[in-house]
Amino acid sequence: MVRQAHDLFIIGGGINGCGIARDAAGRGYTVALAEMNDFASGTSSGATKLIHGGLRYLEHYEFRLVRESLMEREVLWSMAPHIIKPMRFVLPYHKGGVRPAWLIRLGLFLYDHLGGRKLLPSTKVLDMRTDPAGKPLKALFTKAFEYSDGWVDDARMVVLNARDAADRGALVMPRTKVVSARQENGLWSIETIDGLTGRAELHRARMLVNAAGPWVDAVLRSALRQNEARNVRLVQGSHIVVRKKFEDPRAYFFQNPDNRIIFAIPYEGEFTLIGTTDRDYPGDPKDVQISAEETTYLCNAASEYFNEPVRHEDIVWTYSAVRPLFDDGASMAQEATRDYVLKVERVDGSPLLNVFGGKLTTYRRLSEHALEKIGEAIGTKGNPWTAKSSLPGGDFPAEGYEAEVGRLKSRYPFLGDAHARRLVRRYGTRASALLGPAAAPKDLGRHFGAELYEVEVRYLIDHEWARSAQDVLWRRTKDGLLLTGEEAAAVEEYMAERPAEMAG
């Protein structure tokens, strides 16, 4: 089957590919996007789940990246106040630590003043002998610095960008692999195969965007036959999740003797997320998993701070991802630049944009810069628009989460408080569309466990391209942490019985 020609064909359904697709569709470009797996199934769901300036990047003089990141925190929060929330971070300090107090103060001063902060509170100093944040930590830490950043549901941010791109006219194709891309009669000719049906299609486009993340070089080598492509440095980051280590709503920023840092973050109500590691990764990104060495490192690093050690047996879940950093020749993985690089080349006259690097916090600005280059290559359409927009479900004030929870509970009084909060945190104003005319718990359909009901699974199938229990339990939600093995299997069975109903 041959599709009609598009302005843009985007390879990759991570945060960068979906962000570019959304921005371009909103400006009037015709857009197609292919993702070989599920959205956010690679790097974009394997992050530390922060919208942050990158305090540690100041040590590597990445002032442009830090300033752009700081400025984006409140922009993204206002775009998606359901999946993004402000969070305070506690950085414990003791004499003889890795970094002197004056250096930390200087870094935090820059952090407070580089990025046009308006809603987020500023840095302050804590006496850990009296502040509740000191309770879970060893008595060695009598002083700390507290600053602001944000938390994000990373996988949901990706799928909401994809959803909005599709709503604005983009052709969005998950589980669709690009087999080849070649120049033909002044257009790109792109062959794809649907991973579920095996159906082959031929697409034509004026410009190709390679936003395949860790696979960006693999796409250049396989689909475009550029055998010498070597542009990205693959760096593995791993995380562990343990039962809740502390009651305080603030997160911790821990400095390790090897100059690396880790976070300990309140996670999904009942857990603590600890990570990340940084090490070069030589294998195929699809095979990445936490190593025994990384597990021990994270347990030991956190145990240097917490009164109660973090043990291997405390771990309830782990995840790993490969970050595709632009290869700037840094000697150590943690020193490689986190900034993004956009390169346009012409292949037999047809423009190709390759996207290297990037991070969650700067995806919107990366997309805007990509649209500038796209405009130069094939002509400009529309103006930048996303800074004042809302992602689906995020059309309420940045500080309006509690009010939105109240509205949902008022409309659906049978919902428990925790259930209502989870629904608003995932779907925002679209929680009402999910629940529809439900008037009692029985109207939510089959109960799979925890607070996951059939009505939510159906919504994810019909509106967010979910096709497996993995999609539902570990990317669209994190209910996999709460369901038993039998309950998770029941979700898988339910979805397998309904392939004909699944519509993007």
Side-chain angles (χ1 to χ4, degrees):
M1 176 180 173
V2 181
R3 294 270 191 173
Q4 67 182 50
H6 309 280
D7 291 323
L8 299 176
F9 190 100
I10 300 168
I11 304 173
I15 190 59
N16 291 336
C18 291
I20 293 169
R22 175 182 184 250
D23 194 336
R27 298 190 195 210
Y29 289 98
T30 54
V31 178
L33 180 147
E35 160 57 43
M36 66 179 177
N37 298 307
D38 183 29
F39 297 116
S41 56
T43 305
S44 296
S45 62
T48 313
K49 308 185 191 310
L50 300 180
I51 295 297
H52 67 137
L55 181 60
R56 67 191 176 106
Y57 304 152
L58 289 172
E59 288 187 311
H60 303 298
Y61 311 111
E62 297 207 52
F63 296 110
R64 191 213 68 78
L65 174 63
V66 173
R67 184 171 188 273
E68 184 173 86
S69 300
L70 289 170
M71 294 176 69
E72 281 298 286
R73 293 178 305 175
E74 293 191 15
V75 173
L76 295 181
W77 180 21
S78 68
M79 281 174 55
H82 48 335
I83 60 168
I84 295 174
K85 63 181 178 181
M87 184 171 279
R88 294 289 276 175
F89 288 76
V90 176
L91 196 168
Y93 170 80
H94 70 96
K95 288 184 178 180
V98 176
R99 297 165 181 85
W102 69 264
L103 182 61
I104 296 172
R105 285 181 183 275
L106 174 61
L108 289 171
F109 176 83
L110 293 172
Y111 212 68
D112 271 349
H113 294 89
L114 273 178
R117 177 181 51 83
K118 296 178 181 177
L119 296 177
L120 294 171
S122 61
T123 299
K124 66 179 182 179
V125 178
L126 304 178
D127 183 343
M128 298 292 269
R129 294 166 295 188
T130 57
D131 192 281
K135 187 176 180 181
L137 304 186
K138 294 177 179 178
L140 168 69
F141 303 102
T142 60
K143 180 179 180 180
F145 301 91
E146 182 181 311
Y147 69 95
S148 292
D149 262 328
W151 174 93
V152 63
D153 188 326
D154 50 5
R156 289 210 56 74
M157 186 160 72
V158 176
V159 79
L160 292 181
N161 272 273
R163 178 69 269 162
D164 203 43
D167 290 345
R168 295 174 187 276
L171 173 63
V172 174
M173 301 172 287
R175 299 167 190 82
T176 301
K177 186 172 183 177
V178 172
V179 178
S180 68
R182 62 186 184 278
Q183 196 273 349
E184 195 174 87
N185 299 323
L187 293 173
W188 283 102
S189 182
I190 305 112
E191 183 183 351
T192 63
I193 293 182
D194 187 307
L196 293 180
T197 67
R199 183 175 64 178
E201 290 189 338
L202 191 64
H203 304 260
R204 302 196 192 283
R206 297 169 61 203
M207 186 168 184
L208 188 64
V209 177
N210 179 11
W215 292 273
V216 65
D217 279 346
V219 166
L220 290 173
R221 290 194 293 269
S222 62
L224 284 92
R225 308 293 188 264
Q226 294 185 10
N227 295 324
E228 301 304 314
R230 294 289 187 279
N231 300 283
V232 294
R233 180 175 189 165
L234 301 182
V235 174
Q236 178 176 353
S238 297
H239 299 77
I240 60 175
V241 176
V242 301
R243 292 287 173 186
K244 187 189 291 187
K245 292 290 293 181
F246 50 89
E247 294 296 330
D248 201 281
R250 291 169 287 185
Y252 292 96
F253 178 122
F254 295 150
Q255 305 175 87
N256 303 329
D258 60 3
N259 280 321
R260 291 155 68 178
I261 62 100
I262 64 168
F263 294 97
I265 302 169
Y267 189 61
E268 295 294 318
E270 301 175 25
F271 306 95
T272 299
L273 171 65
I274 299 171
T276 181
T277 57
D278 270 308
R279 68 175 196 170
D280 286 309
Y281 182 75
D284 188 326
K286 71 177 176 59
D287 299 324
V288 68
Q289 57 184 341
I290 193 169
S291 66
E293 177 189 1
E294 288 177 300
T295 302
T296 298
Y297 176 85
L298 291 174
C299 287
N300 290 346
S303 297
E304 287 294 313
Y305 284 81
F306 286 120
N307 278 319
E308 180 186 321
V310 177
R311 302 176 296 268
H312 284 66
E313 55 266 32
D314 298 331
I315 299 171
V316 298
W317 183 47
T318 67
Y319 66 91
S320 290
V322 176
R323 293 189 288 273
L325 307 183
F326 182 69
D327 193 350
D328 61 353
S331 59
M332 298 175 67
Q334 57 265 35
E335 293 177 358
T337 182
R338 265 55 177 176
D339 211 344
Y340 53 84
V341 175
L342 307 176
K343 289 188 174 181
V344 175
E345 59 180 288
R346 288 193 175 267
V347 179
D348 296 327
S350 296
L352 164 67
L353 170 63
N354 291 306
V355 180
F356 305 111
K359 62 197 195 94
L360 289 170
T361 308
T362 54
Y363 93 88
R364 192 196 66 81
R365 292 290 287 134
L366 180 153
S367 299
E368 286 189 335
H369 290 144
L371 265 293
E372 290 174 7
K373 293 186 176 295
I374 289 165
E376 292 169 1
I378 62 173
T380 300
K381 289 188 179 182
N383 296 311
W385 63 278
T386 57
K388 300 295 184 182
S389 69
S390 297
L391 285 176
D395 49 339
F396 60 93
E399 297 179 291
Y401 169 77
E402 293 294 338
E404 195 59 37
V405 171
R407 276 190 286 273
L408 190 69
K409 289 168 66 176
S410 176
R411 182 170 179 182
Y412 300 95
F414 64 88
L415 287 178
D417 184 69
H419 193 185
R421 288 180 174 279
R422 284 185 189 271
L423 289 176
V424 174
R425 186 57 74 197
R426 290 171 186 168
Y427 308 102
T429 58
R430 295 200 174 186
S432 294
L434 183 156
L435 293 168
K442 64 181 178 61
D443 298 326
L444 303 182
R446 182 176 176 180
H447 181 214
F448 291 104
E451 290 157 350
L452 184 64
Y453 289 83
E454 183 177 0
V455 67
E456 184 172 359
V457 176
R458 274 251 53 92
Y459 179 89
L460 294 173
I461 291 170
D462 293 340
H463 299 281
E464 295 191 5
W465 299 279
R467 297 294 181 268
S468 70
Q470 187 82 5
D471 300 346
V472 170
L473 300 180
W474 295 108
R475 283 184 286 277
R476 307 303 186 277
T477 79
K478 291 297 181 289
D479 283 340
L481 287 166
L482 304 172
L483 268 60
T484 66
E486 287 185 357
E487 291 168 337
V491 177
E492 191 69 73
E493 291 169 9
Y494 172 85
M495 298 184 75
E497 292 168 359
R498 288 156 176 77
E501 296 178 45
M502 296 182 178

